[in-house]
Amino acid sequence: MDSNDDLPIVDVLTFITDELLHTYRSCVGEKDKEKSIIEFLERLDDDKSILKLKTINIEIKSDLDWFNVSRPLTISELRGKIVILDFFTYCCINCMHVLPELHSIQDSFPPESGLC
């Protein structure tokens, strides 16, 4: 998406996420899925819409409850890493259904790997 400069950041992010998800879901086989993600990541430095997202200067509040980390993290520490944020509640059945997938991702890419 070569962005329209008038689009709000959240719309740009939504479009990019939907585009990646559609491409990933249309893949056949693990190699094809891996290729689609690699191609997406290679675009990060060239796509104008992604460049627009990179200009956002935000920080995460340090007084929030953190899980699976020994201390609060900052955006600058996470730069260049793959980050998955999942907001859920224990009373939401759909939220509970995603937990096995999150565990699988964590097992595949432990923090020690340096990827996340």
Side-chain angles (χ1 to χ4, degrees):
M1 171 188 181
D2 282 330
S3 73
N4 177 346
D5 291 332
D6 297 333
L7 286 176
I9 296 293
V10 70
D11 290 342
V12 174
L13 183 59
T14 301
F15 179 86
I16 292 168
T17 304
D18 286 346
E19 178 187 30
L20 177 60
L21 182 61
H22 174 74
T23 302
Y24 184 82
R25 286 185 174 165
S26 67
C27 293
V28 178
E30 292 302 312
K31 291 287 184 192
D32 199 24
K33 289 178 180 180
E34 183 178 316
K35 181 182 174 199
S36 71
I37 291 174
I38 290 170
E39 287 174 354
F40 174 80
L41 293 174
E42 288 173 345
R43 284 183 25 213
L44 293 180
D45 290 330
D46 298 326
D47 191 310
K48 291 178 185 177
S49 59
I50 294 172
L51 290 174
K52 183 176 182 177
L53 291 174
K54 288 181 176 183
T55 64
I56 300 172
N57 188 15
I58 60 169
E59 274 305 329
I60 304 169
K61 293 182 181 180
S62 62
D63 62 344
L64 300 174
D65 291 330
W66 290 79
F67 298 94
N68 298 333
V69 293
S70 59
R71 60 180 175 66
L73 302 174
T74 65
I75 295 294
S76 59
E77 289 177 280
L78 299 173
R79 188 167 306 282
K81 297 187 179 198
I82 298 171
V83 177
I84 298 173
L85 297 176
D86 183 44
F87 301 94
F88 70 95
T89 65
Y90 286 107
C91 63
C92 170
I93 191 65
N94 291 326
C95 297
M96 298 303 286
H97 286 175
V98 78
L99 289 177
E101 291 182 41
L102 293 174
H103 285 289
S104 176
I105 292 169
Q106 184 175 3
D107 289 345
S108 298
F109 305 99
E112 299 80 28
S113 70
L115 293 175
C116 51

